[in-house]
Amino acid sequence: MKFDAMEHPLAKNQTPRIVLQITLTLIVLATIPLCYPLLGYPLFLLKNSSNNSSDHSPSSHDSREGLIRELQREKRCDIFSGEWVPNPEAPYYANTTCWAIHEHQNCMKYGRPDTDFMKWRWKPDGCDLPIFNPGQFLEIVRGKSLAFVGDSVARNQMQSLICLLSRVEYPVDVSYTPDERFKRWKYTTYNFTLAIYWTPHLVKAKEADSNGPTHTGLFNLYVDEFDEEWTTQIEDFDYIIISAGHWFFRPMVFYENNQVVGCRYCLKDNVTDLPMSYGYRKAFKTAFKAINSLENFKGITFLRTFAPSHFENGLWNEGGNCVRTKPFRSNETALEGIDFELYMTQLEEFKIAEKQGNKRGLKFRLLDTTQATLLRPDGHPSRYGHFQNENVTLYNDCVHWCLPGPIDTWSDFLLEMLKLEGIRSYNDEKLHSKEKKKDA
């Protein structure tokens, strides 16, 4: 694959203008109330909370009621709660011009007949979310580094970002290994590094059986041990986006202190079958512990929340498919069942990690993509991840996302959050300056 450091013809000599634009934007935004919660939880939970509590233990119930009360106190606009509205100007790149798209998410190449799924934007309730500006993003992250930590959906997100940035510049490959699971890219004009670390379970894991009881493999998860493939690599990064989800639907055996404590769908004699959320919670707890234990890490950790799949009329391996061609409205579907359980598990572990991280000055931010992706059953490859006459055995893909497609909006969220970080830093500097003057 050829990696040309292509540059948009308008990108040259625009840096002063972009810097001025960002500076003016930060000053203006610093003088008005913040339009969405920094660390709150999405308002759409209020619509569904009474019907989706599948765990009725007292501690879980109290914890989740606390989260809902926190939501009810939140008066500002939440950019993560809203609706999809038509956007005829989209998409902002093409599958024919961006080499970063994974073959199985290159839906237009493989014959997807409709194009409307690319022509929507996210409209939060009560405020606006600007469309991603690649020049502005690259100026904000100039001289910095960003790591995606997770599974193939994390890779999907990274490739979306690369394609959105391609209007200004393509990165060059500076990977330290030929292993495709651990890629590193450099935007040379901006001295910005982008990386992906493959860790579908976030913790140390081994494939015990490539077939397993459901023919999807059987994995040993050491839920109290760090996955050093990524935990030893991220200490110098300025931003980490961590995520995980769909690999936890596969059979697993859970280990703690090197002892089997239970499993999920393992069908082993004398091994207790535990809820899926057990391993999921333990994995996030251990992953966040790893980040908080890094002695020299000073960056910001974003939790990108669970992105539900959209299989209908069957499971993924039983003929299920995703053939809708337009988004849901928020009143047409709800986060429920195991999706709701996994999502709430993430939020609970995030809050714990955030409190622990705050003790040593670390920042945790919630990149809450769950409602936006829940409403997009039309955005998956389905059967358009390969040529239809190919002799391959592939299931309909209702987990990953077509590019261009709905998850390009995840970068809209990310840029808005990075701009807010700039406002916070600006205000902190002003406060620090005032305190120094008082002490003088």
Side-chain angles (χ1 to χ4, degrees):
M1 183 180 292
K2 185 178 180 181
F3 306 120
D4 294 323
M6 298 175 63
E7 193 169 305
H8 192 285
L10 297 179
K12 296 180 180 179
N13 301 322
Q14 281 196 340
T15 298
R17 186 186 305 173
I18 294 171
V19 171
L20 177 61
Q21 178 186 357
I22 294 173
T23 303
L24 291 174
T25 300
L26 293 180
I27 292 173
V28 171
L29 289 175
T31 63
I32 62 177
L34 300 181
C35 69
Y36 62 91
L38 287 169
L39 297 172
Y41 295 97
L43 298 173
F44 81 92
L45 276 184
L46 289 174
K47 305 172 186 176
N48 308 322
S49 61
S50 62
N51 298 323
N52 287 312
S53 183
S54 57
D55 182 347
H56 299 289
S57 65
S59 60
S60 175
H61 177 78
D62 292 344
S63 173
R64 292 173 187 184
E65 286 299 308
L67 295 185
I68 299 305
R69 285 195 298 272
E70 184 172 333
L71 265 178
Q72 292 169 328
R73 290 195 299 268
E74 183 55 67
K75 301 300 182 183
R76 293 167 293 185
C77 175
D78 178 2
I79 63 169
F80 304 118
S81 293
E83 303 281 357
W84 290 94
V85 297
N87 180 22
E89 295 182 5
Y92 298 95
Y93 62 90
N95 71 299
T96 55
T97 60
C98 183
W99 49 254
I101 301 174
H102 192 280
E103 284 295 283
H104 295 323
Q105 284 100 58
N106 200 339
C107 305
M108 302 311 294
K109 175 179 177 179
Y110 293 112
R112 179 163 177 168
D114 61 308
T115 59
D116 286 350
F117 73 93
M118 297 184 287
K119 297 182 179 297
W120 298 85
R121 67 177 179 87
W122 182 248
K123 174 64 174 70
D125 298 327
C127 59
D128 285 308
L129 178 66
I131 296 295
F132 184 81
N133 182 326
Q136 189 179 45
F137 179 91
L138 285 168
E139 284 295 343
I140 289 175
V141 298
R142 182 184 287 274
K144 298 184 183 297
S145 54
L146 165 64
F148 289 91
V149 175
D151 56 18
S152 53
V153 179
R155 181 186 64 204
N156 205 175
Q157 182 183 4
M158 182 196 72
Q159 291 165 343
S160 165
L161 178 59
I162 290 175
C163 289
L164 288 166
L165 294 175
S166 69
R167 287 179 286 161
V168 174
E169 183 175 319
Y170 275 115
V172 295
D173 189 344
V174 292
S175 303
Y176 59 90
T177 171
D179 192 334
E180 288 291 323
R181 300 173 303 163
F182 305 98
K183 300 293 290 184
R184 189 174 292 216
W185 312 95
K186 187 72 170 283
Y187 289 83
T188 55
T189 303
Y190 297 88
N191 190 27
F192 169 56
T193 300
L194 191 63
I196 180 74
Y197 293 98
W198 170 263
T199 175
H201 297 105
L202 300 180
V203 294
K204 179 181 175 182
K206 296 179 181 177
E207 188 174 41
D209 183 347
S210 60
N211 192 31
T214 61
H215 309 294
T216 57
L218 175 65
F219 296 85
N220 292 340
L221 263 64
Y222 302 85
V223 295
D224 56 348
E225 296 188 41
F226 300 164
D227 178 0
E228 295 185 352
E229 293 276 19
W230 68 271
T231 60
T232 60
Q233 298 293 323
I234 63 166
E235 197 157 15
D236 295 329
F237 278 83
D238 297 287
Y239 310 108
I240 300 170
I241 300 179
I242 189 170
S243 59
H246 295 284
W247 281 68
F248 286 82
F249 286 83
R250 303 186 183 204
M252 299 171 287
V253 178
F254 304 125
Y255 287 78
E256 293 185 58
N257 296 318
N258 285 314
Q259 300 293 319
V260 174
V261 295
C263 76
R264 184 61 176 166
Y265 300 136
C266 70
L267 305 183
K268 288 181 174 288
D269 293 336
N270 301 319
V271 178
T272 303
D273 195 64
L274 297 171
M276 187 186 303
S277 59
Y278 174 89
Y280 199 62
R281 180 181 301 280
K282 291 282 187 176
F284 271 101
K285 187 182 294 292
T286 298
F288 286 139
K289 180 181 178 181
I291 294 170
N292 277 328
S293 68
L294 293 173
E295 185 175 344
N296 297 314
F297 178 65
K298 307 297 182 189
I300 300 174
T301 301
F302 294 88
L303 169 63
R304 199 268 297 155
T305 58
F306 182 68
S309 62
H310 291 93
F311 291 100
E312 295 186 75
N313 301 315
L315 300 175
W316 67 271
N317 58 348
E318 296 175 357
N321 205 349
C322 39
V323 297
R324 295 178 185 266
T325 56
K326 65 179 183 179
F328 287 126
R329 298 286 296 176
S330 62
N331 62 356
E332 293 177 330
T333 188
L335 191 69
E336 55 191 8
I338 188 60
D339 291 343
F340 179 80
E341 190 71 20
L342 297 182
Y343 175 73
M344 290 304 298
T345 297
Q346 284 185 315
L347 298 192
E348 291 160 6
E349 291 305 316
F350 172 85
K351 290 298 290 183
I352 294 170
E354 178 209 357
K355 290 179 181 178
Q356 293 171 343
N358 283 346
K359 293 177 183 178
R360 49 168 297 206
L362 294 182
K363 299 176 182 178
F364 284 78
R365 301 288 183 257
L366 196 67
L367 179 55
D368 198 327
T369 60
T370 298
Q371 190 203 12
T373 47
L374 173 69
L375 300 182
R376 293 307 303 270
D378 57 321
H380 300 286
S382 179
R383 64 191 182 94
Y384 298 107
H386 60 91
F387 289 117
Q388 299 307 300
N389 59 357
E390 279 187 274
N391 185 22
V392 294
T393 301
L394 290 174
Y395 297 99
N396 296 322
D397 186 353
C398 303
V399 171
H400 302 94
W401 302 89
C402 294
L403 295 180
I407 67 166
D408 292 330
T409 295
W410 294 0
S411 291
D412 298 350
F413 291 139
L414 178 61
L415 176 55
E416 195 70 5
M417 296 178 79
L418 291 178
K419 288 191 289 187
L420 184 56
E421 289 302 322
I423 296 171
R424 300 182 94 203
S425 297
Y426 175 76
N427 288 337
D428 288 345
E429 287 176 8
K430 287 204 305 181
L431 181 62
H432 183 64
S433 176
K434 288 181 179 179
E435 290 176 346
K436 285 184 68 175
K437 288 180 180 178
K438 288 182 180 178
D439 294 337

